[in-house]
Amino acid sequence: QVQLVESGGGLVQAGGSLRLSCAASGRTYSMVAMGWFRQAPGKEREAVAGITWVGGRTTYADSVKGRFTISRDNAKNTVYLQMNSLKPEDTAVYYCAAKQEYSSNYDSWGQGTQVTVSS
């Protein structure tokens, strides 16, 4: 199993920026991808961005393309989400997740970090 700890959430005004971090520990050698998801009150959890551990191939939700950037530091087993031009609709709890080589889905999750964007 992989343990994940997020940090970097907070309150920011619309148009501002935040950087989320997610540090992985445990069976990190079996990770093939990491991603960020978010869940707003009353809404389902949605995928925000993902990155493969080898090659660094990235994917983004249409709603964040051009504003958010996912990156990784393999040496630190850490993934980042740089969020620029934030909008009130970005307000949500953001979760980090990891996918291991034997799994078809993300199977390790962090505790979540709150991001609140005020208008």
Side-chain angles (χ1 to χ4, degrees), residues 2-93:
V2 175
Q3 292 77 47
L4 303 170
V5 178
E6 302 105 332
S7 61
L11 173 65
V12 64
Q13 289 188 333
S17 298
L18 281 174
R19 188 194 195 204
L20 305 183
S21 300
C22 175
S25 61
R27 294 175 57 97
T28 57
Y29 54 85
S30 66
M31 292 193 307
V32 296
M34 292 186 74
W36 288 96
F37 294 74
R38 67 186 181 187
Q39 187 166 22
K43 295 188 177 181
E44 293 187 356
R45 185 175 61 195
E46 63 172 345
V48 175
I51 187 166
T52 58
W53 212 239
V54 176
R57 188 174 69 253
T58 59
T59 57
Y60 295 95
D62 287 343
S63 59
V64 305
K65 282 181 181 177
R67 300 188 298 122
F68 290 11
T69 302
I70 189 170
S71 61
R72 80 211 191 286
D73 184 330
N74 293 54
K76 295 181 179 180
N77 290 320
T78 299
V79 66
Y80 306 96
L81 185 68
Q82 178 66 43
M83 305 185 293
N84 299 327
S85 302
L86 282 161
K87 304 175 181 180
E89 51 264 43
D90 294 318
T91 295
V93 177

Side-chain angles (χ1 to χ4, degrees), residues 93-104:
V93 177
Y94 284 70
Y95 297 91
C96 173
K99 183 186 299 184
Q100 297 180 73
E101 57 186 353
Y102 52 78
S103 177
S104 59

